[in-house]
Amino acid sequence: MHMPPLFPHPPLPGGETGRVAHACMAALAPVSGLPLPPASPRRALGSMAGSLKQGGAVVARVRHVGTETPPVSDGDAWDVGASAGAWALRYRHAAKQAEKPLLYLCSPASLGALRAVLVESGERGIVCNDAETQASHWPKSVPPELPAWLAAQHNCIPFDPATGEEVRAILRSALETLYVEQQSGYYYLAIHDEGADEDADEYAMAAPLSAADAAAASLGMYRLPWPGPAACRVRLCGAGKTLAVVADAARLLKEDWDIATQVWSCPSYTRLARDAQAAEQWNLRHPRAVPRLAHVRHCLDDSAAPVIAVTGYGQHIAGQIGGYVRGRFIAVGADTRMETSAPWLAVTALKALADDGALPLQFVNYALRRYALL
């Protein structure tokens, strides 16, 4: 699929930077056929930084910016104190020709603190924020204006990965985009630390993503291998920690109501929406050319079944893709009135199907009583 440049005005190419980026990408490549222990994004990222440190392919450091590091548990690979000299890629800043690290490990819990990190980085590189691991009264431990601000920054591609393997796919894509293709701008990853237990859900991904799924994840969404027939009656989309909740809702729909469901991981609703906007604009300007198909349409246009998109941020983050979805669309976020839980999502799916005339409305009442939601 054709993708337009992410950011305008790319910096001049640098041969050495490209060679080092290729070395890092090779070091981060998954080992085919080997099962992986379930890993949270935070633990996986720490492990990847450690592997680059030991690989000897790079020569610089990770930049850990101005935040206190909480005590780490035994076996936690995100030991920032030990890994602060780990990452090996530098690049030359286009304006100052000054060397900067590629990766910033930080915990800014406010928009002001994040903007300070971006000043430090020159708005260049890969910014990984693990503020979500800290206690806070805010959903995902950051105020609502932070994700809204990121979604409005066109030199930034924000991601909310659900698993360690999604982090791997996004990092490799970022390396290629920023340091091989030499596009300007930065990637932002919200990093959480759930899903690393031995009895973790199957959606913690105990195997590497396929090449196709890894590429699709870096574009914003990919389908999970949900058991059962390919035909479905509803599509559930989740990002970050909400993906596990979405998977639980899909199980309830199947086990309790015999509703076939597709489950999609959407690490970046923002990238999906921007790609769809760019495709629409290109098609308008080139009416005689073969139309470009946005990634979200490529994934979801094969059916008019309802789509429920869930995010741990505000509802508007998931709502960005609503105008590009065929059929009924519902966005659910931390600011919606109902609780973001598997039973509520199952009820929401049943209501969407009832509104489409696909099942009797009394199913919704039955579900509300069954899950004690009244």
Side-chain angles (χ1 to χ4, degrees):
M1 178 185 303
H2 175 83
M3 288 290 294
L6 295 181
F7 315 112
H9 311 302
L12 295 175
E16 182 60 29
T17 297
R19 285 190 291 273
V20 176
H22 277 297
C24 289
M25 290 166 62
L28 292 173
V31 180
S32 177
L34 291 182
L36 300 172
S40 70
R42 187 176 188 268
R43 291 177 184 240
L45 181 56
S47 177
M48 292 172 202
S51 69
L52 289 176
K53 179 179 180 180
Q54 297 170 6
V58 287
V59 293
R61 67 189 183 281
V62 169
R63 178 69 60 87
H64 179 240
V65 182
T67 53
E68 294 296 326
T69 304
V72 296
S73 60
D74 292 340
D76 186 351
W78 179 293
D79 185 347
V80 176
S83 298
W87 197 287
L89 180 60
R90 298 187 184 198
Y91 69 92
R92 292 191 176 277
H93 190 272
K96 298 181 179 179
Q97 295 295 304
E99 290 181 337
K100 294 278 188 179
L102 168 114
L103 188 72
Y104 289 80
L105 307 181
C106 51
S107 304
S110 69
L111 178 56
L114 175 61
R115 295 181 76 168
V117 172
L118 296 175
V119 169
E120 171 75 15
S121 70
E123 297 189 357
R124 177 70 168 160
I126 307 169
V127 176
C128 300
N129 184 2
D130 75 337
E132 193 170 344
T133 64
Q134 311 303 316
S136 171
H137 66 281
W138 294 111
K140 293 176 74 67
S141 299
V142 295
E145 61 264 23
L146 190 151
W149 184 85
L150 285 169
Q153 304 307 300
H154 289 283
N155 64 337
C156 167
I157 297 294
F159 283 88
D160 185 12
T163 68
E165 286 307 293
E166 288 184 11
V167 171
R168 184 192 304 276
I170 295 164
L171 286 183
R172 298 186 80 232
S173 174
L175 283 163
E176 182 169 8
T177 299
L178 299 176
Y179 299 101
V180 177
E181 298 175 2
Q182 289 290 314
Q183 294 189 35
S184 59
Y186 63 99
Y187 277 55
Y188 173 91
L189 280 69
I191 300 296
H192 67 79
D193 199 21
E194 294 187 12
D197 298 329
E198 291 182 0
D199 58 348
D201 184 89
E202 64 180 290
Y203 283 90
M205 295 295 183
L209 295 179
S210 68
D213 284 347
S218 70
L219 294 177
M221 72 183 298
Y222 67 101
R223 182 181 168 185
L224 299 188
W226 189 252
C232 71
R233 298 178 67 184
V234 66
R235 281 84 63 84
L236 302 180
C237 303
K241 289 192 289 188
T242 68
L243 182 61
V245 183
V246 162
D248 286 341
R251 289 195 186 90
L252 292 178
L253 288 168
K254 182 60 180 174
E255 294 172 2
D256 296 344
W257 311 101
D258 196 27
I259 301 294
T261 307
Q262 283 183 0
V263 179
W264 293 81
S265 179
C266 296
S268 184
Y269 289 113
T270 298
R271 183 164 194 183
L272 290 171
R274 290 184 190 167
D275 172 49
Q277 292 166 4
E280 283 192 346
Q281 292 170 5
W282 192 92
N283 292 337
L284 179 63
R285 294 182 179 129
H286 305 83
R288 297 186 178 183
V290 176
R292 289 182 177 174
L293 185 65
H295 185 59
V296 65
R297 292 190 183 277
H298 174 76
C299 294
L300 299 176
D301 260 11
D302 64 338
S303 169
V307 173
I308 299 170
V310 187
T311 176
Y313 293 119
Q315 181 183 26
H316 63 284
I317 296 297
Q320 293 178 100
I321 67 170
Y324 311 105
V325 172
R326 179 181 167 204
R328 187 176 298 275
F329 176 81
I330 300 171
V332 179
D335 55 350
T336 48
R337 293 184 179 181
M338 70 178 188
E339 180 186 353
T340 306
S341 66
W344 270 118
L345 292 178
V347 169
T348 301
L350 293 171
K351 180 62 163 59
L353 289 167
D355 289 343
D356 278 353
L359 54 79
L361 188 59
Q362 58 260 38
F363 273 46
V364 181
N365 291 326
Y366 297 156
L368 287 168
R369 289 197 293 271
R370 180 179 188 128
Y371 301 130
L373 299 176
L374 291 175

